[in-house]
Each structure stands twice: as C-alpha cells, then as structure tokens.
Amino acid sequence: DLNKLALTYNFYPHTDTGMGWDDFKRRNWLFKDLDLRTQAFVPGDEIKRFPLYEGLPTVEKSRGELQYVAAVELIQEANIDDIFIGDSRASIKQLRYIHYFQQNGVMNIECHLLKKYQTLYDQKFEIRKDIPEKIVRLTCPRTPGIAIEHALNRRKGSIVMQNKLAQRYSGEIDIVKQDLPFEARSNVIGWVTPEYVNLLNYIDDQTKIIFRKID
C-alpha cells in the first residue's frame, strides 16, 4: 500500500556534499507525480550535530540558510511533504513558523516597521492573485492622500506604501523583491530582516503573510 510509504532523503554533514538544487527538484517532482510522500532535512539553528557541526541538510544550498526559509523553499519549490531537522537542536520559534506555514500557508516575516506603521505587526495579509515579477502586492484597503515621506531607494526587502502621487493607489502596501530605482510615489515604511528576505521568492497567490517584530 503506497499510501503507507514515505520516501526520506539522506542528510549530508560535510559541506559541499549535499544534493544539488536542480537535481533534487527534478527527482522529487517525479516522485510527486507518482503520488508518493517525500521527506527531507534542513539544518538546525541552535546546536549543530557532532562531530562536524556544519548542519545536516538534504540540499547543499540549505546549509547556510535560516531553517525556516530553507523549509519554505523545499515545500514551495520542490513539493516536499515533511520537513525534518537533522541537527541536535532547533529554536521553538523557527519550528512554530515552519509548522504554521505547513498547516495554514501563512508566512511569518520578521521585519522592522517605522513607528507610525507598527500597527501592521501581527496582522494577516492576503496576496493579490496577479503576481508581479518585482514586487509583492498586499490586498489591504487603500487610503487616499498619504503624505510624501521616506521616498528612498527601494532595496530588496523594502516594505513600501504608495503615497498621494500614486493617486488611486495611495495607501497600497508592497514588498520589493529585487532592487528597484527611486520612485517618488513610494514611501519606504520598513524593511524585511535580511535572514528572511529570501522568503519573498516563494510567495504565491495562495500565500498569506504576517509581519512579525524582530525579537
């Protein structure tokens, strides 16, 4: 009974010995086409396992990533069902983030918001169904007449709000997925924490996000 089986990938303690990302995805999608359940490892974030202490990922590119980001990548891009932590210890916060994403499709994104926008923390936002290439657009109510302030260069990870120069788009909130030029219509209201920026690559039209204040 194949419904009672799961295929578990190996983990690789030595740097540079983990599976290549493209080959891993190719293999796993073949297994998923056969309706098989698959499982893979990401490294821990507190205590790495003896004796090499280099992490225990399945995929080499996961070795240097935050375990939550690595887990989301495996789930979203490779269609992995179950995530294991191979190392000796992982933080409860990271495990909760992974579990919450698996159960609810909600990404917790740690960030810093300017003081007047901190009411946006801990709110759940949906994503527009028409996914742009360079930004993530949140489906929140627009507010006319937003003042022009903090119109800075839009770096990857910037959280921006459209100001009154954007006319009917005033008040729309976006997250920048790649470096973009200065735009007078866009106020920078915060920044995604660097360790979490790569999560932006895996947001799709089914994803919901929550901005979390940095511990």
Coordinates of all heavy atoms in Angstrom, one line a residue, residues 164-201:
K164 N 0.3 59.8 -2.1 CA -0.7 60.5 -2.9 C -0.3 60.8 -4.3 O -1.2 60.9 -5.2 CB -1.1 61.9 -2.2 CG 0.1 62.9 -2.1 CD -0.4 64.1 -1.3 CE 0.8 65.1 -1.2 NZ 0.3 66.3 -0.4
L165 N 1.0 60.7 -4.6 CA 1.4 60.9 -6.0 C 0.9 59.7 -6.9 O 0.8 59.8 -8.1 CB 2.9 61.0 -6.1 CG 3.5 62.3 -5.5 CD1 5.0 62.3 -5.7 CD2 2.9 63.6 -6.1
A166 N 0.6 58.6 -6.2 CA 0.2 57.4 -6.9 C -1.3 57.4 -7.2 O -1.9 56.5 -7.7 CB 0.5 56.1 -6.1
Q167 N -2.0 58.5 -6.7 CA -3.4 58.8 -7.0 C -4.3 57.6 -6.4 O -4.3 57.4 -5.2 CB -3.6 59.0 -8.4 CG -2.8 60.2 -8.9 CD -3.1 60.6 -10.4 OE1 -4.2 60.4 -10.9 NE2 -2.1 61.0 -11.1
R168 N -5.0 56.9 -7.3 CA -5.9 55.9 -6.8 C -5.2 54.7 -6.0 O -5.9 53.9 -5.3 CB -6.7 55.3 -7.9 CG -6.0 54.5 -9.0 CD -6.8 54.2 -10.2 NE -7.9 53.3 -9.8 CZ -7.8 52.0 -9.9 NH1 -6.7 51.4 -10.4 NH2 -8.9 51.2 -9.6
Y169 N -3.9 54.6 -6.2 CA -3.1 53.5 -5.5 C -2.6 54.0 -4.1 O -2.0 53.2 -3.4 CB -2.0 53.1 -6.3 CG -2.4 52.4 -7.6 CD1 -2.4 53.1 -8.8 CD2 -2.7 51.0 -7.6 CE1 -2.8 52.5 -10.0 CE2 -3.1 50.4 -8.8 CZ -3.2 51.1 -10.0 OH -3.5 50.5 -11.1
S170 N -2.9 55.2 -3.7 CA -2.4 55.7 -2.4 C -2.9 54.8 -1.3 O -4.0 54.4 -1.2 CB -3.0 57.1 -2.2 OG -2.6 57.6 -1.0
G171 N -1.9 54.4 -0.5 CA -2.1 53.6 0.7 C -1.9 52.1 0.4 O -1.9 51.3 1.4
E172 N -1.6 51.7 -0.9 CA -1.3 50.3 -1.1 C 0.0 50.0 -0.6 O 1.0 50.7 -0.6 CB -1.3 50.0 -2.7 CG -1.0 48.6 -3.0 CD -1.0 48.3 -4.5 OE1 -2.1 48.6 -5.1 OE2 0.0 47.8 -5.0
I173 N 0.1 48.7 0.0 CA 1.4 48.3 0.6 C 2.0 47.2 -0.3 O 1.3 46.2 -0.7 CB 1.2 47.7 2.0 CG1 0.6 48.8 2.9 CG2 2.5 47.2 2.6 CD1 0.2 48.3 4.3
D174 N 3.3 47.3 -0.6 CA 4.0 46.4 -1.4 C 5.3 46.0 -0.7 O 5.8 46.7 0.1 CB 4.4 46.9 -2.8 CG 3.2 47.5 -3.5 OD1 2.1 46.9 -3.4 OD2 3.3 48.6 -4.1
I175 N 5.8 44.8 -1.0 CA 7.2 44.4 -0.6 C 8.0 44.2 -1.8 O 7.6 43.5 -2.8 CB 7.1 43.1 0.2 CG1 6.0 43.1 1.3 CG2 8.5 42.8 0.9 CD1 5.9 41.8 2.0
V176 N 9.2 44.8 -1.8 CA 10.1 44.8 -3.0 C 10.9 43.5 -3.1 O 11.6 43.1 -2.1 CB 11.0 46.0 -3.0 CG1 12.0 46.0 -4.2 CG2 10.2 47.3 -2.9
K177 N 10.8 42.8 -4.2 CA 11.5 41.5 -4.3 C 12.9 41.6 -5.0 O 13.7 40.7 -4.9 CB 10.7 40.5 -5.2 CG 9.4 40.1 -4.5 CD 8.8 38.9 -5.1 CE 8.2 39.2 -6.5 NZ 7.5 38.0 -7.1
Q178 N 13.2 42.8 -5.6 CA 14.6 43.0 -6.1 C 14.8 44.5 -6.1 O 13.9 45.3 -6.0 CB 14.7 42.4 -7.5 CG 13.7 43.0 -8.5 CD 13.8 42.4 -9.9 OE1 14.4 43.0 -10.8 NE2 13.1 41.3 -10.1
D179 N 16.1 44.9 -6.1 CA 16.5 46.3 -6.1 C 15.8 47.0 -7.2 O 15.9 46.6 -8.4 CB 18.0 46.5 -6.2 CG 18.7 46.0 -4.9 OD1 18.0 45.7 -3.9 OD2 20.0 45.9 -5.0
L180 N 15.1 48.1 -6.9 CA 14.4 49.0 -7.8 C 14.9 50.4 -7.7 O 15.3 50.8 -6.6 CB 12.9 48.9 -7.6 CG 12.3 47.5 -7.9 CD1 10.8 47.5 -7.5 CD2 12.5 47.0 -9.3
P181 N 14.8 51.2 -8.8 CA 15.2 52.6 -8.7 C 14.3 53.4 -7.8 O 13.2 53.0 -7.4 CB 15.1 53.1 -10.1 CG 14.1 52.2 -10.8 CD 14.3 50.8 -10.1
F182 N 14.8 54.6 -7.4 CA 14.0 55.6 -6.6 C 12.6 55.8 -7.3 O 12.6 56.0 -8.5 CB 14.8 56.9 -6.5 CG 14.0 58.0 -5.9 CD1 13.8 58.1 -4.6 CD2 13.4 59.0 -6.8 CE1 13.1 59.2 -4.1 CE2 12.7 60.0 -6.3 CZ 12.5 60.1 -4.9
E183 N 11.6 55.9 -6.5 CA 10.3 56.2 -7.0 C 9.6 57.2 -6.1 O 9.3 56.8 -4.9 CB 9.5 54.9 -7.1 CG 8.0 55.0 -7.5 CD 7.7 55.8 -8.7 OE1 7.9 55.2 -9.8 OE2 7.4 57.0 -8.6
A184 N 9.3 58.4 -6.5 CA 8.7 59.4 -5.6 C 7.4 59.0 -5.1 O 6.9 59.5 -4.0 CB 8.6 60.8 -6.4
R185 N 6.7 58.1 -5.8 CA 5.3 57.7 -5.3 C 5.3 56.7 -4.2 O 4.3 56.3 -3.7 CB 4.5 57.2 -6.5 CG 4.3 58.2 -7.6 CD 3.6 57.6 -8.8 NE 4.5 56.7 -9.5 CZ 4.1 56.0 -10.7 NH1 2.9 56.3 -11.2 NH2 5.0 55.2 -11.2
S186 N 6.5 56.2 -3.9 CA 6.6 55.1 -2.9 C 7.4 55.5 -1.7 O 8.5 55.9 -1.7 CB 7.4 53.9 -3.6 OG 6.7 53.4 -4.7
N187 N 6.7 55.5 -0.5 CA 7.3 55.7 0.8 C 7.8 54.4 1.4 O 7.1 53.4 1.4 CB 6.2 56.3 1.8 CG 5.7 57.6 1.4 OD1 6.2 58.3 0.5 ND2 4.5 58.0 2.0
V188 N 9.1 54.4 1.8 CA 9.6 53.2 2.4 C 9.2 53.2 3.9 O 9.6 54.2 4.6 CB 11.1 53.1 2.3 CG1 11.7 51.9 3.0 CG2 11.5 53.0 0.8
I189 N 8.4 52.3 4.3 CA 7.9 52.3 5.7 C 8.5 51.2 6.6 O 8.2 51.1 7.8 CB 6.3 52.1 5.7 CG1 5.9 50.7 5.2 CG2 5.7 53.2 4.9 CD1 4.4 50.4 5.4
G190 N 9.4 50.4 6.0 CA 10.0 49.3 6.8 C 10.9 48.4 5.9 O 11.0 48.6 4.7
W191 N 11.6 47.5 6.6 CA 12.5 46.6 5.9 C 12.3 45.2 6.4 O 12.3 45.0 7.7 CB 13.9 47.0 6.1 CG 14.2 48.4 5.5 CD1 14.7 48.7 4.3 CD2 14.0 49.6 6.2 NE1 14.8 50.0 4.1 CE2 14.4 50.6 5.3 CE3 13.6 50.0 7.4 CZ2 14.4 52.0 5.6 CZ3 13.5 51.3 7.8 CH2 13.9 52.3 6.9
V192 N 12.3 44.2 5.6 CA 12.4 42.8 6.0 C 13.8 42.4 6.5 O 14.8 42.8 5.9 CB 12.0 41.8 4.8 CG1 12.1 40.4 5.2 CG2 10.6 42.1 4.3
T193 N 13.8 41.7 7.6 CA 15.1 41.3 8.2 C 15.9 40.5 7.1 O 15.3 39.6 6.5 CB 14.9 40.4 9.4 OG1 14.0 41.1 10.3 CG2 16.2 40.0 10.1
P194 N 17.2 40.7 7.0 CA 18.0 40.1 5.9 C 17.8 38.6 5.8 O 17.7 38.0 4.8 CB 19.4 40.5 6.2 CG 19.3 41.8 6.9 CD 18.0 41.7 7.7
E195 N 17.8 37.9 7.0 CA 17.7 36.4 7.0 C 16.3 35.9 6.4 O 16.2 34.8 6.0 CB 17.8 35.9 8.4 CG 19.2 36.1 9.1 CD 19.4 37.4 9.7 OE1 18.4 38.3 9.6 OE2 20.4 37.6 10.4
Y196 N 15.3 36.8 6.4 CA 14.0 36.4 5.9 C 13.7 36.9 4.5 O 12.7 36.6 3.9 CB 12.9 37.0 6.9 CG 12.9 36.3 8.2 CD1 13.8 36.5 9.2 CD2 11.9 35.4 8.5 CE1 13.8 35.9 10.4 CE2 11.8 34.7 9.7 CZ 12.8 35.0 10.7 OH 12.8 34.4 11.9
V197 N 14.6 37.7 3.9 CA 14.3 38.3 2.6 C 14.1 37.2 1.5 O 13.2 37.4 0.7 CB 15.5 39.2 2.2 CG1 15.4 39.6 0.7 CG2 15.5 40.5 3.0
N198 N 14.8 36.1 1.6 CA 14.6 35.1 0.5 C 13.2 34.5 0.5 O 12.8 33.8 -0.4 CB 15.6 34.0 0.6 CG 17.0 34.5 0.0 OD1 17.0 35.5 -0.7 ND2 18.1 33.8 0.4
L199 N 12.4 34.7 1.6 CA 11.1 34.2 1.7 C 10.2 34.8 0.5 O 9.3 34.2 0.0 CB 10.4 34.5 3.0 CG 10.8 33.6 4.2 CD1 10.1 34.2 5.5 CD2 10.4 32.2 4.0
L200 N 10.6 36.0 0.2 CA 9.8 36.8 -0.8 C 9.8 36.0 -2.2 O 8.9 36.2 -3.0 CB 10.4 38.2 -1.0 CG 10.5 39.0 0.2 CD1 11.1 40.4 -0.1 CD2 9.2 39.2 0.9
N201 N 10.8 35.2 -2.4 CA 10.9 34.4 -3.7 C 9.8 33.4 -3.8 O 9.6 32.8 -4.9 CB 12.3 33.8 -3.8 CG 13.4 34.8 -3.9 OD1 13.2 35.9 -4.4 ND2 14.6 34.5 -3.4

